Structure formats: structure tokens, C-alpha cells
Amino acid sequence: MPEINLRQMAVNQSGTITAVRVGGELGRRIREMGLVPGTEITVKQRAPLNDPVALRVMGGTLTLRNREADHITVDVAD
């Protein structure tokens, strides 16, 4: 399965997070939201200008700005 940046995922595309490549406060915040390696996610929607993106994570919905999604690497399902 190919690895891509979360920002590059299409609507209704699913995958598994492989890495969160940011530290500090932003990295801590992303991890506290449950976005850690091994977590399965699905892109559910994008705003009209593609920012933010709505994700389905562990049965809930979560939104991220593209600048936050840029730090997350995902192994996408075919």
C-alpha cells in the first residue's frame, strides 16, 4: 500500500496512520486527538476550499486544518 500525506487523501479514502512528523505543542495536540500510528482513518468531507478536512476516527468525526494534516503520513487502502 502506498504512503501519502493526509492532505493528499481523497474523500471516502481510508488508510492507517504510519507517522506523525511534528513535535512540540502541535504534535502533542494531534496525538491527544487519537491520531497516532496504527489508527485507521477515513476522509469523510472537505470544506469548499478543501480546508478543513473531516475525518472519521474511532467512531467519531474530527476536523483538521491542512497545515495540521501535512504532518501526518498515511498508508492508504487500495
Side-chain angles (χ1 to χ4, degrees):
M1 290 191 274
E3 260 189 21
I4 63 172
N5 188 291
L6 176 59
R7 184 181 204 160
Q8 299 168 318
M9 291 179 71
V11 173
N12 293 322
Q13 190 172 24
S14 297
T16 304
I17 295 174
T18 57
V20 177
R21 302 181 193 282
V22 65
E25 183 68 23
L26 178 58
R28 183 185 62 77
R29 189 171 148 264
I30 289 171
R31 288 177 183 88
E32 284 178 350
M33 288 188 283
L35 299 175
V36 295
T39 303
E40 293 186 21
I41 61 169
T42 303
V43 174
K44 297 309 288 181
Q45 291 180 312
R46 289 191 178 272
L49 297 175
N50 289 329
D51 191 24
V53 58
L55 308 172
R56 189 77 173 161
V57 181
M58 297 181 288
T61 302
L62 170 62
T63 59
L64 284 181
R65 295 252 176 235
N66 280 333
R67 63 182 165 77
E68 297 164 338
D70 285 339
H71 301 289
I72 301 170
T73 304
V74 181
D75 196 7
V76 293
D78 292 329

Coordinates of all heavy atoms in Angstrom, one line a residue:
M1 N 0.8 -1.2 0.0 CA 0.0 0.0 0.0 C 0.9 1.3 0.0 O 1.8 1.3 0.7 CB -0.9 0.0 1.2 CG -2.0 -1.1 1.2 SD -3.2 -0.9 2.5 CE -2.4 -1.7 3.9
P2 N 0.5 2.2 -0.8 CA 1.3 3.5 -0.9 C 1.2 4.4 0.3 O 0.1 4.4 0.9 CB 0.9 4.1 -2.1 CG -0.5 3.6 -2.4 CD -0.5 2.2 -1.8
E3 N 2.2 5.0 0.7 CA 2.2 6.0 1.8 C 2.1 7.4 1.2 O 2.8 7.8 0.3 CB 3.5 6.0 2.6 CG 3.3 5.2 3.9 CD 4.6 5.3 4.8 OE1 5.3 6.3 4.6 OE2 4.7 4.4 5.6
I4 N 1.1 8.2 1.7 CA 0.9 9.5 1.2 C 0.6 10.4 2.4 O 0.4 10.0 3.6 CB -0.3 9.7 0.2 CG1 -1.6 9.3 0.9 CG2 0.0 8.9 -1.0 CD1 -2.8 9.6 0.0
N5 N 0.6 11.7 2.2 CA 0.3 12.7 3.2 C -1.2 12.8 3.3 O -1.9 12.6 2.4 CB 0.9 14.0 2.7 CG 0.8 15.1 3.7 OD1 -0.3 15.6 4.0 ND2 2.0 15.6 4.1
L6 N -1.7 13.0 4.6 CA -3.1 13.0 4.8 C -3.8 14.1 4.0 O -4.9 13.9 3.5 CB -3.4 13.3 6.3 CG -4.8 13.5 6.7 CD1 -5.6 12.3 6.4 CD2 -4.9 13.8 8.2
R7 N -3.1 15.2 3.7 CA -3.7 16.2 2.9 C -4.0 15.8 1.5 O -4.9 16.3 0.8 CB -2.7 17.4 2.8 CG -3.2 18.6 2.1 CD -2.2 19.7 2.0 NE -2.8 21.0 1.8 CZ -2.2 22.1 2.1 NH1 -1.0 22.2 2.7 NH2 -2.9 23.3 1.9
Q8 N -3.3 14.8 1.0 CA -3.5 14.3 -0.4 C -4.6 13.2 -0.5 O -4.9 12.8 -1.6 CB -2.2 13.6 -0.9 CG -1.0 14.6 -0.9 CD 0.3 13.9 -1.2 OE1 0.6 12.9 -0.6 NE2 1.1 14.5 -2.0
M9 N -5.2 12.8 0.6 CA -6.2 11.8 0.5 C -7.5 12.3 -0.1 O -7.8 13.5 0.2 CB -6.5 11.2 1.9 CG -5.3 10.4 2.4 SD -5.7 9.7 4.1 CE -6.9 8.5 3.8
A10 N -8.2 11.5 -0.8 CA -9.5 11.9 -1.4 C -10.6 11.6 -0.4 O -10.5 10.8 0.5 CB -9.7 11.1 -2.7
V11 N -11.8 12.2 -0.7 CA -13.0 12.0 0.1 C -13.4 10.5 -0.1 O -13.3 9.9 -1.1 CB -14.1 12.9 -0.4 CG1 -15.4 12.5 0.3 CG2 -13.8 14.3 -0.1
N12 N -13.7 9.9 1.1 CA -14.1 8.4 1.2 C -12.9 7.5 1.1 O -13.1 6.3 1.0 CB -15.2 8.0 0.2 CG -16.5 8.7 0.5 OD1 -16.8 8.9 1.7 ND2 -17.2 9.2 -0.5
Q13 N -11.7 8.0 1.1 CA -10.5 7.2 1.0 C -10.1 6.8 2.5 O -10.2 7.7 3.4 CB -9.3 7.9 0.3 CG -8.1 7.0 0.0 CD -7.1 7.7 -0.8 OE1 -7.0 8.9 -0.9 NE2 -6.3 6.9 -1.5
S14 N -9.7 5.6 2.7 CA -9.3 5.1 4.0 C -7.8 4.8 4.1 O -7.2 4.5 3.0 CB -10.1 3.9 4.4 OG -11.5 4.3 4.5
G15 N -7.3 4.7 5.3 CA -5.9 4.3 5.5 C -5.6 4.2 6.9 O -6.4 4.5 7.8
T16 N -4.3 3.9 7.2 CA -3.8 3.7 8.5 C -2.6 4.7 8.7 O -1.7 4.8 7.9 CB -3.3 2.3 8.7 OG1 -4.3 1.4 8.5 CG2 -2.8 2.1 10.2
I17 N -2.7 5.5 9.8 CA -1.6 6.4 10.1 C -0.3 5.7 10.3 O -0.3 4.7 11.1 CB -2.0 7.3 11.3 CG1 -3.2 8.1 11.0 CG2 -0.8 8.2 11.7 CD1 -3.7 8.9 12.1
T18 N 0.8 6.1 9.7 CA 2.1 5.4 9.9 C 3.0 6.3 10.7 O 3.9 5.8 11.3 CB 2.7 5.1 8.5 OG1 2.9 6.2 7.7 CG2 1.9 4.0 7.8
A19 N 2.8 7.7 10.6 CA 3.7 8.6 11.3 C 3.1 9.9 11.5 O 2.3 10.4 10.7 CB 5.0 8.7 10.6
V20 N 3.4 10.6 12.6 CA 3.1 12.0 12.9 C 4.4 12.7 13.0 O 5.2 12.5 13.9 CB 2.2 12.1 14.2 CG1 2.0 13.6 14.4 CG2 0.9 11.4 14.1
R21 N 4.7 13.5 12.0 CA 6.1 14.1 11.8 C 6.1 15.5 12.3 O 6.5 16.4 11.5 CB 6.5 13.9 10.4 CG 6.6 12.5 9.9 CD 7.1 12.4 8.5 NE 6.8 11.1 7.9 CZ 7.6 10.0 8.1 NH1 8.6 10.1 9.0 NH2 7.3 8.9 7.5
V22 N 5.8 15.7 13.5 CA 5.8 17.1 14.1 C 6.0 16.9 15.6 O 5.4 16.0 16.2 CB 4.6 18.0 13.7 CG1 3.3 17.4 14.3 CG2 4.8 19.4 14.1
G23 N 6.7 17.8 16.2 CA 6.9 17.7 17.7 C 6.2 18.9 18.3 O 5.4 19.6 17.7
G24 N 6.6 19.2 19.5 CA 6.1 20.3 20.3 C 4.6 20.3 20.6 O 4.0 19.2 20.6
E25 N 4.0 21.5 20.7 CA 2.6 21.6 21.1 C 1.7 21.0 20.0 O 0.7 20.3 20.3 CB 2.3 23.1 21.3 CG 0.9 23.3 21.8 CD 0.6 22.8 23.2 OE1 1.5 22.6 24.0 OE2 -0.6 22.5 23.4
L26 N 2.0 21.3 18.7 CA 1.1 20.8 17.7 C 1.2 19.2 17.6 O 0.1 18.6 17.5 CB 1.6 21.3 16.3 CG 0.8 20.8 15.1 CD1 -0.7 21.1 15.3 CD2 1.3 21.5 13.8
G27 N 2.3 18.7 17.8 CA 2.5 17.2 17.8 C 1.7 16.6 18.9 O 1.0 15.6 18.8
R28 N 1.8 17.2 20.1 CA 1.1 16.7 21.3 C -0.4 16.8 21.1 O -1.1 15.8 21.3 CB 1.5 17.5 22.5 CG 0.9 17.0 23.8 CD 1.2 17.9 25.0 NE 0.7 19.3 24.8 CZ -0.6 19.6 25.0 NH1 -1.5 18.7 25.3 NH2 -1.0 20.9 24.8
R29 N -0.9 17.9 20.5 CA -2.3 18.1 20.3 C -2.8 17.1 19.3 O -3.9 16.5 19.5 CB -2.6 19.5 19.8 CG -4.0 19.8 19.7 CD -4.2 21.3 19.4 NE -5.4 21.5 18.6 CZ -5.5 21.5 17.3 NH1 -4.4 21.5 16.6 NH2 -6.6 21.6 16.7
I30 N -2.1 16.8 18.2 CA -2.5 15.8 17.2 C -2.6 14.4 17.8 O -3.6 13.7 17.7 CB -1.6 15.8 16.0 CG1 -1.8 17.1 15.2 CG2 -1.8 14.6 15.1 CD1 -0.7 17.3 14.1
R31 N -1.6 14.1 18.6 CA -1.6 12.7 19.3 C -2.7 12.6 20.3 O -3.4 11.6 20.4 CB -0.3 12.5 19.9 CG 0.8 12.2 18.9 CD 2.2 12.0 19.5 NE 3.2 11.8 18.5 CZ 3.9 12.8 17.9 NH1 3.6 14.1 18.3 NH2 4.8 12.6 17.0
E32 N -3.0 13.7 21.0 CA -4.1 13.7 22.0 C -5.5 13.5 21.4 O -6.4 13.0 22.0 CB -4.1 14.9 22.9 CG -3.0 15.0 23.9 CD -3.0 16.3 24.7 OE1 -3.7 17.2 24.3 OE2 -2.3 16.3 25.7
M33 N -5.6 13.9 20.1 CA -6.9 13.7 19.4 C -7.1 12.2 18.9 O -8.1 11.9 18.4 CB -7.0 14.6 18.2 CG -7.2 16.1 18.5 SD -7.5 17.1 17.1 CE -5.9 17.3 16.4
G34 N -6.0 11.4 19.2 CA -6.1 10.0 18.8 C -5.5 9.7 17.5 O -5.5 8.6 17.0
L35 N -4.8 10.7 16.9 CA -4.1 10.5 15.6 C -2.7 10.0 15.8 O -1.8 10.8 15.8 CB -4.2 11.7 14.8 CG -5.6 12.2 14.4 CD1 -5.5 13.6 13.7 CD2 -6.3 11.2 13.6
V36 N -2.6 8.7 16.1 CA -1.3 8.1 16.4 C -1.1 7.0 15.4 O -2.0 6.4 14.8 CB -1.2 7.6 17.8 CG1 -1.3 8.7 18.8 CG2 -2.3 6.5 18.1
P37 N 0.2 6.6 15.2 CA 0.5 5.5 14.3 C -0.3 4.2 14.6 O -0.5 3.9 15.8 CB 2.0 5.2 14.4 CG 2.5 6.6 14.8 CD 1.4 7.2 15.7
G38 N -0.9 3.6 13.6 CA -1.7 2.4 13.7 C -3.2 2.7 13.7 O -4.0 1.8 13.6
T39 N -3.6 4.0 13.8 CA -5.0 4.3 13.8 C -5.6 4.4 12.4 O -5.0 4.9 11.5 CB -5.2 5.7 14.5 OG1 -4.6 5.7 15.8 CG2 -6.7 6.1 14.6
E40 N -6.7 3.8 12.2 CA -7.4 3.8 10.9 C -8.3 5.0 10.8 O -9.0 5.4 11.8 CB -8.3 2.5 10.8 CG -7.4 1.3 10.7 CD -8.2 0.0 10.3 OE1 -9.3 0.2 9.8 OE2 -7.7 -1.1 10.6
I41 N -8.2 5.7 9.7 CA -9.0 6.9 9.4 C -9.6 6.8 8.0 O -9.2 6.1 7.2 CB -8.1 8.1 9.5 CG1 -7.0 8.1 8.4 CG2 -7.5 8.3 10.9 CD1 -6.3 9.4 8.3
T42 N -10.7 7.6 7.9 CA -11.4 7.8 6.6 C -11.7 9.2 6.4 O -12.2 9.9 7.3 CB -12.7 7.0 6.6 OG1 -12.4 5.6 6.8 CG2 -13.4 7.1 5.2
V43 N -11.3 9.8 5.2 CA -11.7 11.2 4.9 C -13.1 11.2 4.6 O -13.6 10.5 3.6 CB -10.8 11.7 3.8 CG1 -11.2 13.1 3.4 CG2 -9.3 11.7 4.2
K44 N -13.9 11.9 5.3 CA -15.4 12.0 5.1 C -15.8 13.2 4.2 O -16.7 13.1 3.4 CB -16.1 12.0 6.4 CG -15.9 10.8 7.3 CD -16.2 9.5 6.5 CE -17.6 9.3 6.2 NZ -17.9 8.0 5.5
Q45 N -15.2 14.4 4.5 CA -15.6 15.6 3.8 C -14.5 16.5 3.7 O -13.6 16.5 4.5 CB -16.8 16.3 4.5 CG -18.1 15.6 4.4 CD -19.1 16.4 5.2 OE1 -18.9 16.9 6.3 NE2 -20.3 16.6 4.5
R46 N -14.6 17.5 2.8 CA -13.7 18.6 2.7 C -14.6 19.9 2.6 O -15.6 19.8 1.9 CB -12.7 18.5 1.5 CG -11.7 17.4 1.7 CD -10.6 17.5 0.7 NE -9.6 16.5 0.9 CZ -8.6 16.7 1.7 NH1 -8.4 17.8 2.3 NH2 -7.7 15.7 1.9
A47 N -14.1 20.9 3.2 CA -14.8 22.2 3.0 C -14.7 22.7 1.6 O -13.9 22.2 0.8 CB -14.2 23.2 4.0
P48 N -15.5 23.7 1.2 CA -15.5 24.1 -0.2 C -14.1 24.5 -0.7 O -13.8 24.3 -1.9 CB -16.4 25.3 -0.2 CG -17.4 25.0 0.9 CD -16.6 24.3 1.9
L49 N -13.2 25.0 0.1 CA -11.9 25.4 -0.4 C -10.9 24.3 0.1 O -9.7 24.6 0.2 CB -11.5 26.8 0.2 CG -12.4 27.9 -0.4 CD1 -12.0 29.2 0.3 CD2 -12.3 28.0 -1.9
N50 N -11.4 23.1 0.4 CA -10.5 22.0 0.8 C -9.9 22.1 2.2 O -9.0 21.4 2.5 CB -9.5 21.6 -0.3 CG -10.1 21.0 -1.5 OD1 -11.1 20.3 -1.4 ND2 -9.5 21.3 -2.6
D51 N -10.3 23.1 2.9 CA -9.7 23.3 4.3 C -10.8 23.8 5.2 O -11.4 24.8 4.9 CB -8.6 24.3 4.2 CG -7.7 24.4 5.5 OD1 -7.7 23.4 6.2 OD2 -7.1 25.4 5.7
P52 N -11.1 23.1 6.3 CA -10.5 21.9 6.8 C -11.1 20.6 6.2 O -11.9 20.6 5.4 CB -10.9 22.0 8.3 CG -12.2 22.7 8.3 CD -12.2 23.6 7.1
V53 N -10.5 19.5 6.7 CA -10.9 18.2 6.2 C -11.6 17.5 7.4 O -11.1 17.6 8.6 CB -9.7 17.4 5.7 CG1 -8.6 17.3 6.7 CG2 -10.1 16.0 5.2
A54 N -12.7 16.7 7.2 CA -13.3 16.0 8.2 C -12.9 14.5 8.1 O -13.0 13.9 7.1 CB -14.8 16.1 8.1
L55 N -12.5 14.0 9.3 CA -12.1 12.6 9.3 C -13.0 11.7 10.2 O -13.5 12.2 11.2 CB -10.6 12.5 9.9 CG -9.6 13.4 9.3 CD1 -8.3 13.3 10.1 CD2 -9.3 12.9 7.9
R56 N -13.1 10.5 9.9 CA -13.8 9.5 10.7 C -12.7 8.7 11.4 O -11.8 8.1 10.8 CB -14.6 8.6 9.9 CG -15.5 7.7 10.6 CD -16.7 8.5 11.1 NE -17.6 7.7 11.8 CZ -18.6 8.1 12.6 NH1 -18.7 9.4 12.8 NH2 -19.4 7.3 13.1
V57 N -12.6 8.9 12.8 CA -11.6 8.2 13.6 C -12.2 7.6 14.8 O -12.9 8.2 15.6 CB -10.6 9.3 14.1 CG1 -9.5 8.6 14.9 CG2 -10.0 10.1 12.9
M58 N -12.0 6.3 14.9 CA -12.5 5.5 16.1 C -14.0 5.8 16.4 O -14.4 6.1 17.5 CB -11.7 5.8 17.3 CG -10.2 5.4 17.2 SD -9.2 5.7 18.6 CE -9.1 7.5 18.6
G59 N -14.8 5.8 15.3 CA -16.3 6.0 15.5 C -16.7 7.5 15.7 O -17.9 7.7 15.8
G60 N -15.8 8.4 15.7 CA -16.1 9.8 15.8 C -15.7 10.6 14.6 O -15.0 10.1 13.8
T61 N -16.1 11.9 14.6 CA -15.7 12.8 13.5 C -14.8 13.8 14.1 O -15.0 14.4 15.1 CB -16.9 13.4 12.8 OG1 -17.8 12.4 12.3 CG2 -16.5 14.3 11.7
L62 N -13.7 14.1 13.3 CA -12.7 15.1 13.7 C -12.3 15.9 12.6 O -12.3 15.4 11.4 CB -11.5 14.2 14.2 CG -10.2 14.8 14.5 CD1 -10.3 15.8 15.7 CD2 -9.2 13.8 14.9
T63 N -12.1 17.2 12.8 CA -11.7 18.1 11.7 C -10.2 18.6 11.9 O -9.8 18.8 13.0 CB -12.6 19.3 11.5 OG1 -12.6 20.0 12.7 CG2 -14.0 18.8 11.1
L64 N -9.5 18.7 10.8 CA -8.1 19.2 10.9 C -7.9 20.2 9.8 O -8.5 20.1 8.7 CB -7.1 18.0 10.6 CG -6.8 17.0 11.6 CD1 -5.8 16.0 11.1 CD2 -6.3 17.6 12.9
R65 N -7.1 21.2 10.0 CA -6.7 22.1 9.0 C -5.6 21.4 8.2 O -4.9 20.5 8.6 CB -6.1 23.4 9.7 CG -7.1 24.1 10.4 CD -7.4 25.4 9.7 NE -8.4 26.1 10.3 CZ -9.6 26.5 9.8 NH1 -9.8 26.2 8.5 NH2 -10.5 27.2 10.4
N66 N -5.5 21.9 6.9 CA -4.5 21.3 6.0 C -3.0 21.4 6.6 O -2.2 20.5 6.4 CB -4.5 21.9 4.6 CG -5.7 21.3 3.8 OD1 -6.1 20.1 4.1 ND2 -6.2 22.0 2.9
R67 N -2.8 22.5 7.3 CA -1.4 22.7 7.8 C -1.1 21.7 8.9 O 0.0 21.3 9.2 CB -1.2 24.1 8.3 CG -2.1 24.5 9.5 CD -1.8 26.0 9.9 NE -2.9 26.5 10.7 CZ -3.1 26.3 12.0 NH1 -2.2 25.5 12.6 NH2 -4.1 26.8 12.6
E68 N -2.2 21.2 9.6 CA -2.0 20.1 10.6 C -1.9 18.7 9.9 O -1.1 17.9 10.2 CB -3.2 20.1 11.5 CG -3.3 21.3 12.3 CD -4.6 21.5 13.0 OE1 -5.6 21.0 12.6 OE2 -4.7 22.3 14.0
A69 N -2.7 18.5 8.8 CA -2.7 17.3 8.1 C -1.4 17.1 7.3 O -1.1 15.9 7.1 CB -3.9 17.3 7.1
D70 N -0.7 18.1 7.0 CA 0.6 18.0 6.3 C 1.6 17.2 7.1 O 2.5 16.6 6.6 CB 1.2 19.4 6.1 CG 0.5 20.1 4.9 OD1 -0.1 19.4 4.1 OD2 0.6 21.3 4.9
H71 N 1.4 17.1 8.4 CA 2.4 16.4 9.3 C 2.1 14.9 9.5 O 2.8 14.2 10.2 CB 2.5 17.1 10.6 CG 2.9 18.5 10.5 ND1 4.2 18.9 10.2 CD2 2.2 19.7 10.7 CE1 4.2 20.2 10.2 NE2 3.1 20.7 10.5
I72 N 1.0 14.4 8.9 CA 0.5 13.0 9.1 C 0.7 12.2 7.9 O 0.2 12.6 6.8 CB -0.9 13.0 9.6 CG1 -1.1 13.9 10.9 CG2 -1.4 11.6 9.8 CD1 -2.5 14.1 11.3
T73 N 1.4 11.1 8.0 CA 1.7 10.2 6.9 C 0.7 9.0 7.0 O 0.6 8.5 8.1 CB 3.1 9.7 6.9 OG1 4.0 10.8 6.8 CG2 3.4 8.8 5.7
V74 N 0.1 8.6 5.9 CA -0.9 7.6 5.9 C -0.6 6.5 4.9 O -0.2 6.8 3.8 CB -2.3 8.2 5.7 CG1 -3.4 7.1 5.7 CG2 -2.7 9.3 6.6
D75 N -0.8 5.2 5.3 CA -0.7 4.1 4.4 C -2.1 3.9 3.9 O -3.0 3.4 4.6 CB -0.2 2.9 5.2 CG 0.3 1.8 4.3 OD1 0.4 2.0 3.0 OD2 0.7 0.7 4.8
V76 N -2.4 4.2 2.6 CA -3.8 4.2 2.1 C -4.2 2.8 1.6 O -3.3 2.0 1.1 CB -4.0 5.2 1.0 CG1 -3.9 6.6 1.5 CG2 -3.1 5.0 -0.2
A77 N -5.5 2.5 1.8 CA -6.0 1.2 1.3 C -6.3 1.3 -0.2 O -6.6 2.4 -0.6 CB -7.3 0.9 2.1
D78 N -6.2 0.3 -0.9 CA -6.4 0.3 -2.3 C -7.9 0.2 -2.6 O -8.7 -0.2 -2.0 CB -5.7 -0.9 -3.0 CG -4.2 -0.7 -3.0 OD1 -3.7 0.5 -3.0 OD2 -3.5 -1.7 -3.0

